[in-house]
Amino acid sequence: MYHERSLREDLQATLDARRDLGPDYEKALVESFADRLDATIAGRVRAELAAQGADPAAYGPRPKKSPGSAMTPIVLGSLGIGVPLTAIAAGQAGLLGLAIAWIAIVVINVAAASAIMRRS
């Protein structure tokens, strides 16, 4: 098969380059070959999925979500809870209750943002 022969030639070229360049370039050479191998495997998987009638695009890499998109439900929830909490806190405890309620909401949002940023 063409891809197999090409991949074997790439491996041989990588080994020859490693021998010529020395161990200083080994990491870059290995990463380059691994990328080529990944692309070849992905191509074969897409071809096999297409041959079986599946949509290869449905099995492609999922786009990474930005940390901001993970915060959206938290922010909207905070606003949704904040409106009635503001009315209750201000009505029952005055300005001090209002301040405590919103400080708690801010602390929860900062903690959530911090946890999300650590994960990504």
Side-chain angles (χ1 to χ4, degrees), residues 7 10-19 21-39:
L7 201 54
D10 281 353
L11 177 58
Q12 186 60 52
T14 301
L15 293 172
D16 292 342
R18 196 300 187 176
R19 192 174 23 246
L21 297 173
D24 296 338
Y25 293 94
E26 184 172 327
K27 183 177 179 182
L29 291 168
V30 168
E31 286 177 4
S32 173
F33 180 74
D35 289 344
R36 172 79 166 115
L37 183 61
D38 285 344

